[in-house]
Amino acid sequence: CSLLAEKCPVDNAKLTVVVNNIAVAEQIGELFIHCKYGCRAAASSKPAAFEVDPRGCPFTIKLSARKDHESSCDYRPVRCPNNPSCPPLLKMNLEAHLKECEHIKCPHSKYGCTFIGNQDTYETHLETCKFEGLKEFLQQTDDRFHEMQVAMAQKDQEIAFLRSMLGKLSEKIDQLEKNLELKFDVLDENQSKLSEDLMEFRRDASMLNDELSHINARLNMGILGSYDPQQIFKCKGTFVGHQGPVWCLCVYSIGDLLFSGSSDKTIKVWDTCTTYKCQKTLEGHDGIVLALCIQGNKLYSGSADCTIIVWDIQNLQKVNTIRAHDNPVCTLVSSHNMLFSGSLKAIKVWDIVGTELKLKKELTGLNHWVRALVASQNYLYSGSYQTIKIWDIRNLECVHVLQTSGGSVYSIAVTNHHIVCGTYENLIHVWDIETKEQVRTLTGHVGTVYALAVISTPDQTKVFSASYDRSLRVWSMDNMICTQTLLRHQGSVTALAVSRGRLFSGAVDSTVKVGVP
């Protein structure tokens, strides 16, 4: 019998192994079974039923050693190598049978010797066989004949290959001739069109020059906002130390500390005020660190290991670990003494009680991964597949749904006047925070918009976007224009954080950079 089915019991389709489970396979291999030469068909009417044969092999062996044993089993049925008409034998009886067999042929029978006899007459025959004296010559002839056959087979393969190549070359020449004829036809047809397009391009260039002159005039008049060299962000420094991509950042402004989470399963603590060096590396997660959040003097970290770890910021020690979700914890945010965690089709709401997290409620009705959570005033904004849901934090009810385009929502930012989200398909959508009407779609990135951040002053609001295309863009929310593009990382930019007018960015190149105006 077989321990693993080869066909589906429902539709009889053949089954194939997709991934071998090594641990289970080893345990099955330790099971003891009867040798198949010690079993016989059972007398019951059940198909494929077997019972132990007392006349067969008495051994029980491990399943993993089955093939080795059965290939050498003394009870294995064999045939006489001299004559197939000899009665069936067991392997243990073969040697005795060969001594008595009356059908032993001369080893030179293939050359024409007709001798057939038993072991005694076989040895006598060899002394007088006329082919025995020629056996070296016959063997050399056989070897040479075999070499010629191999050489002929190789030549046949080469000839077949050359014929195939010749046929393909002939087809390719025919196709090239056709393509050449078509290209000549296209060139003839397009020659006049190219000259027309050239004239049209010249007209368009003239119109663009007029439009640029008009925009410059509006800039000089202050309609679109004047250029301020003080607001150009420059890279001031780089934090180096992680051994894998940086996926999340969080700032503790009281102590000017920056926390960064990485694929190396660690959280690094950076001094952003004096030394700009790593103060400590926090270890505790068994998976990629995907999310960081601060509430009071506690740091909360979410990971691909499905847990949330609570850290005391004062002594930088782990104080609790919570098995939070059945899937990776993608995002964290805190508000109203509650922690919100996002995962696959789920947002969990936790009451913060000292170092403990008490599950308060699970928000449902989500259609995909929740990769973005933002809390602003009394509202929680969650991003999923082409959807932003707005929840009232006071009663944890969904009060509004914004429909987007461009695939999953990867990032959200909320300003005094706008709701902004970044999507998988490179787009940044902007809604009016009061009317919930979409007012603009910002384009420019050529990769997923992984992160958004906001710096607001009494005079203006700037939104920063980080993308898979390795760039950061700075957007003026007064006129929805990109005022600066920063290319300072060697890999996709995945995380942003702001503190005291400074911009921190984390990337797949394992670094964190700080920019200042």
Side-chain angles (χ1 to χ4, degrees):
C1 61
S2 174
L3 291 174
L4 296 175
E6 295 182 354
K7 290 187 177 180
C8 174
V10 178
D11 60 3
N12 242 12
K14 186 176 180 181
L15 300 178
T16 57
V17 176
V18 178
V19 177
N20 283 319
N21 190 322
I22 296 174
V24 173
E26 288 178 350
Q27 291 177 9
I28 292 175
E30 291 296 312
L31 297 176
F32 281 89
I33 62 170
H34 285 280
C35 172
K36 71 177 181 179
Y37 302 121
C39 300
R40 66 184 178 188
S44 66
S45 58
K46 292 183 180 179
F50 294 87
E51 62 185 10
V52 175
D53 185 355
R55 295 172 299 173
C57 178
F59 293 104
T60 56
I61 63 231
K62 289 184 179 180
L63 182 60
S64 59
R66 175 183 180 178
K67 287 185 180 180
D68 293 338
H69 169 79
E70 291 179 352
S71 64
S72 60
C73 180
D74 285 340
Y75 290 84
R76 177 168 61 89
V78 294
R79 286 286 183 181
C80 174
N82 298 325
N83 192 333
S85 62
C86 285
L89 304 164
L90 296 181
K91 182 174 177 289
M92 67 174 75
N93 301 326
L94 178 60
E95 186 175 349
H97 168 78
L98 290 176
K99 292 179 180 178
E100 300 173 357
C101 182
E102 297 290 338
H103 301 97
I104 301 176
K105 292 182 180 180
C106 177
H108 307 302
S109 59
K110 61 181 178 180
Y111 303 122
C113 183
T114 59
F115 169 80
I116 297 177
N118 57 29
Q119 187 69 30
D120 295 335
T121 56
Y122 169 77
E123 293 174 358
T124 304
H125 166 75
L126 283 182
E127 296 174 359
T128 60
C129 181
K130 62 183 179 180
F131 294 99
E132 181 68 14
L134 299 172
K135 66 178 181 181
E136 291 185 4
F137 170 75
L138 292 172
Q139 184 61 46
Q140 291 173 358
T141 303
D142 272 353
D143 293 344
R144 182 59 182 160
F145 184 69
H146 177 70
E147 290 173 3
M148 291 175 67
Q149 284 182 320
V150 171
M152 286 179 65
Q154 290 177 344
K155 294 298 180 184
D156 286 342
Q157 290 179 353
E158 291 174 4
I159 291 170
F161 174 73
L162 290 172
R163 283 177 178 168
S164 172
M165 292 300 295
L166 187 61
K168 289 180 180 179
L169 285 172
S170 178
E171 292 176 4
K172 197 165 187 178
I173 289 171
D174 291 341
Q175 187 63 41
L176 287 171
E177 287 178 350
K178 291 178 183 177
N179 289 343
L180 194 58
E181 290 174 3
L182 287 172
K183 287 179 180 178
F184 277 127
D185 292 341
V186 171
L187 284 173
D188 291 339
E189 291 174 4
N190 288 346
Q191 188 171 4
S192 58
K193 189 175 182 301
L194 285 171
S195 59
E196 293 174 4
D197 289 345
L198 184 59
M199 294 297 294
E200 187 176 346
F201 289 151
R202 286 175 178 170
R203 288 194 298 269
D204 290 344
S206 177
M207 291 174 63
L208 285 172
N209 285 329
D210 293 341
E211 185 67 22
L212 285 172
S213 299
H214 179 62
I215 291 173
N216 283 329
R218 293 178 69 193
L219 283 170
N220 292 332
M221 292 168 62
I223 297 173
L224 294 178
S226 58
Y227 168 74
D228 182 2
Q230 295 301 316
Q231 292 303 313
I232 297 298
F233 278 75
K234 302 180 183 67
C235 182
K236 183 179 179 181
T238 303
F239 298 126
V240 179
H242 277 298
Q243 300 301 310
V246 177
W247 292 108
C248 51
L249 297 172
C250 189
V251 173
Y252 183 59
S253 56
I254 295 176
D256 279 315
L257 298 178
L258 175 71
F259 298 89
S260 59
S262 167
S263 288
D264 63 15
K265 305 177 185 178
T266 70
I267 302 164
K268 287 191 179 290
V269 188
W270 309 91
D271 172 21
T272 68
C273 185
T274 54
T275 64
Y276 291 91
K277 292 182 179 178
C278 178
Q279 289 195 341
K280 189 170 183 179
T281 299
L282 308 182
E283 298 179 349
H285 281 295
D286 294 325
I288 297 169
V289 183
L290 295 170
L292 293 170
C293 171
I294 288 175
Q295 170 74 16
N297 64 349
K298 299 292 187 297
L299 171 71
Y300 299 89
S301 59
S303 168
D305 63 14
C306 309
T307 67
I308 297 173
I309 292 182
V310 186
W311 310 83
D312 188 316
I313 297 178
Q314 302 302 320
N315 56 25
L316 298 176
Q317 296 294 324
K318 178 170 71 172
V319 293
N320 200 359
T321 301
I322 297 94
R323 177 75 183 186
H325 288 269
D326 295 328
N327 293 284
V329 181
C330 298
T331 179
L332 294 171
V333 69
S334 63
S335 182
H336 293 63
N337 207 40
M338 291 183 287
L339 182 72
F340 301 87
S341 59
S343 184
L344 177 62
K345 297 184 180 180
I347 300 172
K348 288 189 177 181
V349 185
W350 310 83
D351 276 326
I352 299 174
V353 184
T355 61
E356 298 291 329
L357 292 179
K358 304 294 184 182
L359 183 61
K360 183 173 186 176
K361 186 177 180 180
E362 182 169 347
L363 307 183
T364 58
L366 300 150
N367 60 13
H368 206 254
W369 286 99
V370 180
R371 293 187 173 92
L373 287 175
V374 170
S376 178
Q377 297 180 353
N378 291 321
Y379 296 99
L380 173 73
Y381 300 81
S382 66
S384 194
Y385 180 73
Q386 299 198 150
T387 305
I388 293 177
K389 288 197 171 186
I390 304 174
W391 312 78
D392 190 320
I393 294 178
R394 293 162 294 189
N395 57 23
L396 299 177
E397 297 294 332
C398 181
V399 295
H400 209 94
V401 179
L402 304 178
Q403 298 297 331
T404 74
S405 60
S408 292
V409 175
Y410 271 72
S411 52
I412 298 175
V414 178
T415 72
N416 292 334
H417 304 290
H418 298 105
I419 304 165
V420 187
C421 85
T423 69
Y424 174 77
E425 295 178 3
N426 322 337
L427 302 176
I428 299 173
H429 299 297
V430 184
W431 290 266
D432 185 286
I433 199 167
E434 297 295 337
T435 66
K436 308 298 188 293
E437 295 292 329
Q438 187 169 341
V439 295
R440 191 69 62 91
T441 295
L442 308 180
T443 59
H445 282 298
V446 291
T448 299
V449 181
Y450 281 129
L452 294 169
V454 180
I455 293 182
S456 294
T457 65
D459 298 329
Q460 61 182 338
T461 297
K462 290 186 179 296
V463 169
F464 301 84
S465 58
S467 171
Y468 177 85
D469 63 15
R470 301 192 302 175
S471 74
L472 293 92
R473 287 179 176 259
V474 187
W475 307 86
S476 170
M477 297 309 291
D478 299 331
N479 48 32
M480 308 287 178
I481 287 177
C482 177
T483 60
Q484 189 180 357
T485 300
L486 300 168
L487 289 169
R488 54 186 188 170
H489 282 285
Q490 300 302 310
S492 304
V493 189
T494 56
L496 294 174
V498 293
S499 174
R500 305 184 193 276
R502 299 170 297 175
L503 175 69
F504 300 93
S505 59
V508 171
D509 62 10
S510 307
T511 68
V512 177
K513 292 183 181 286
V514 55
V516 295

